[in-house]
Amino acid sequence: TDFSNYFCNKTPSSINNRSAGKLFLGSYSYNSGSEMYNEGIAFTSRPINLKGYYRYVNDNQDTTEKGTVTVQVLNGATIIASGKIELSAASEYTEFSLPLVYSSYDLKATDLHIMISSSNHTNEADIKTTNYVNKEECCSRGAMLIIDNLTFSYEQ
């Protein structure tokens, strides 16, 4: 039996629910159509910057889409420092630097939240994908974000 084109013929004609790929610290659950992110890990230091490298390819239907990196340092439920950066298209590994701005210096850090997303769109209707029928992938794919070598710095 020839299965070389099986998946290309079985590609859905439409996609009802789109979601950006997300990488984060914590846990995730899905229950009855509802997503739940339990973000964060225990973390007691106070970094001033997150650096790393990324490659980003937009979906060819939406060249304005960007990847995002968001960092929050917390004391319990209180955010004491935060930063967010949007990552533009880059075909080669590109360095990024995300400064963390502190709103409180009198509280100790207890938790760290990091969320990395392949899209800056928050509404699933705004996330575009391209259907790659009759190619080796035979799937629908949106923007692609690769993150590498994340490091915190503690001095200016």
Side-chain angles (χ1 to χ4, degrees), residues 131-149:
N131 198 359
Y132 289 90
V133 175
N134 296 324
K135 290 192 173 186
E136 289 181 17
E137 296 177 66
C138 299
C139 65
S140 181
R141 183 182 72 205
M144 293 183 293
L145 175 61
I146 300 169
I147 294 284
D148 196 11
N149 199 28

Side-chain angles (χ1 to χ4, degrees), residues 15 17-21 55-63 65-67 117-121 124 126-132 137-146:
I15 298 172
N17 299 305
R18 289 180 167 85
S19 179
R55 289 186 359 204
Y56 186 70
V57 178
N58 318 68
D59 184 79
N60 62 16
Q61 297 184 62
D62 186 358
T63 57
E65 188 172 34
K66 298 177 191 269
S117 177
S118 64
S119 179
N120 59 340
H121 299 315
E124 72 178 60
D126 294 334
I127 297 174
K128 306 293 184 214
T129 60
T130 300
N131 198 359
Y132 289 90
E137 296 177 66
C138 299
C139 65
S140 181
R141 183 182 72 205
M144 293 183 293
L145 175 61
I146 300 169

